[in-house]
């Protein structure tokens, strides 16, 4: 069964720092990997989607990489801002479009 | 992007009552909808997958008689929590899937979630 792990569980950084969130998965037979943002009591906002044939995706200050063979992905956030404070979830999908989520990294960016 | 709505956003009910949560795809037809449950500080757990016009497929450990799912149209799926108890209190999120015209793969769009509190 696919298991997704995210490290660290929580992270607190001062504004302006660059940071990296990590995601690992046990079964490399994935269809794609997606990073989401979740604000407290809210639903999910998709940040970046990497298809299994891709190595990375970029959107603004966010960059996500995928190493399928080693079962790892990283989300890089450049020049963090207080508005980036949220929980970041990593999820992989299989060929049947079934999502497996990590438990998230709670990020706090201090002004 | 595609929009998925959920109603209600928050519901409080008494133990023993049934609660219905709606999930709608507003600007696209969803061939498949998914229901997730999220406990505090935990990951989202898939409860069931529903395809329009057919019975839902439940994940292991999810009671299908407890969590009734109906997917009557390509834009609406409902989750009914029957005879709710305090342990059913949770955050329920739905998602809807459609075939992306450009990339050709199934994108999944998530609703804003419903907070259920059972007293």
């Amino acid at each position: 069964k696919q298991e997704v792990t995210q490290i660290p569980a929580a992270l607190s950084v001062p504004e302006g720092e660059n940071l990296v969130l990590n995601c690992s998965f046990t079964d490399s037979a994935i269809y794609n990997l997606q990073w989401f943002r979740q604000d407290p009591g809210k639903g999910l906002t998709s940040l970046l989607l990497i298809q299994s044939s891709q190595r990375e995706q970029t959107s603004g200050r966010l960059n996500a990489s995928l190493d399928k063979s080693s079962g790892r992905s990283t989300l890089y956030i450049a020049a963090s801002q207080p508005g980036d404070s949220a929980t970041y979830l990593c999820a992989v999908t299989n060929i049947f479009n079934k999502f497996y989520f990590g438990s998230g990294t709670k990020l706090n960016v201090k002004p | 992007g595609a929009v998925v709505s959920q109603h209600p956003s928050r519901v409080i009910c008494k133990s023993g009552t049934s609660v219905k949560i709606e999930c709608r795809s507003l600007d696209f037809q969803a061939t498949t909808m998914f229901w997730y449950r999220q406990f505090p500080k935990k990951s989202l757990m898939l409860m069931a997958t529903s395809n329009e016009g057919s019975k839902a497929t439940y994940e292991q450990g999810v009671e299908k008689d407890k969590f009734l799912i109906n997917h009557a149209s390509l834009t609406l799926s409902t989750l009914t929590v029957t005879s709710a108890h305090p342990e059913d209190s949770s955050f329920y999120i739905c998602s809807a899937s459609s075939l992306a015209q450009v990339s050709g793969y199934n994108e999944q769009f998530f609703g804003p979630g419903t907070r259920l509190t059972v007293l």
Side-chain angles (χ1 to χ4, degrees):
Chain A
K1 182 187 174 185
Q2 179 74 271
E3 292 186 4
V4 181
T5 304
Q6 289 187 245
I7 295 172
L11 183 62
S12 184
V13 300
E15 182 177 5
E17 266 200 18
N18 302 324
L19 55 100
V20 175
L21 307 182
N22 297 290
C23 172
S24 62
F25 45 95
T26 55
D27 186 348
S28 62
I30 64 170
Y31 192 59
N32 60 45
L33 182 144
Q34 202 160 354
W35 283 92
F36 295 89
R37 169 183 173 141
Q38 186 176 31
D39 292 287
K42 303 293 185 181
L44 305 181
T45 300
S46 178
L47 298 174
L48 291 165
L49 183 150
I50 311 176
Q51 295 187 54
S52 62
S53 59
Q54 298 175 323
R55 299 282 297 195
E56 67 176 343
Q57 284 287 335
T58 298
S59 176
R61 294 183 292 108
L62 305 179
N63 175 275
S65 67
L66 172 63
D67 184 342
K68 202 173 79 162
S69 61
S70 67
R72 296 179 187 275
S73 175
T74 60
L75 177 67
Y76 176 82
I77 302 177
S80 59
Q81 302 171 358
D84 295 330
S85 298
T87 295
Y88 290 80
L89 295 169
C90 164
V92 297
T93 60
N94 62 14
I95 193 169
F96 302 106
N97 210 20
K98 181 176 178 178
F99 271 68
Y100 297 88
F101 283 88
S103 54
T105 294
K106 186 174 183 178
L107 173 65
N108 178 35
V109 181
K110 298 171 288 187
Chain B
V3 179
V4 176
S5 71
Q6 281 186 241
H7 178 79
S9 59
R10 185 182 296 266
V11 58
I12 301 173
C13 69
K14 292 182 179 180
S15 186
T17 61
S18 294
V19 175
K20 180 183 284 188
I21 302 170
E22 292 186 349
C23 176
R24 292 182 185 272
S25 55
L26 298 185
D27 49 4
F28 67 100
Q29 293 187 326
T31 52
T32 306
M33 287 186 169
F34 304 83
W35 287 95
Y36 296 84
R37 181 174 179 175
Q38 186 178 32
F39 293 99
K41 299 182 180 180
K42 298 290 185 183
S43 181
L44 277 75
M45 299 299 296
L46 179 65
M47 298 173 66
T49 303
S50 73
N51 293 292
E52 184 264 339
S54 61
K55 289 185 178 180
T57 302
Y58 290 81
E59 295 298 303
Q60 192 173 9
V62 178
E63 300 175 59
K64 61 181 180 181
D65 295 329
K66 172 85 173 164
F67 299 99
L68 301 179
I69 292 173
N70 182 278
H71 193 161
S73 75
L74 285 172
T75 60
L76 173 65
S77 176
T78 60
L79 167 68
T80 301
V81 183
T82 62
S83 187
H85 291 283
E87 58 265 30
D88 299 324
S89 299
S90 193
F91 193 57
Y92 293 88
I93 299 179
C94 74
S95 69
S97 175
S98 73
L99 186 63
Q101 297 301 318
V102 175
S103 62
Y105 68 89
N106 285 307
E107 293 192 62
Q108 209 171 118
F109 303 96
F110 287 81
T114 296
R115 170 73 59 192
L116 171 63
T117 302
V118 185
L119 303 176

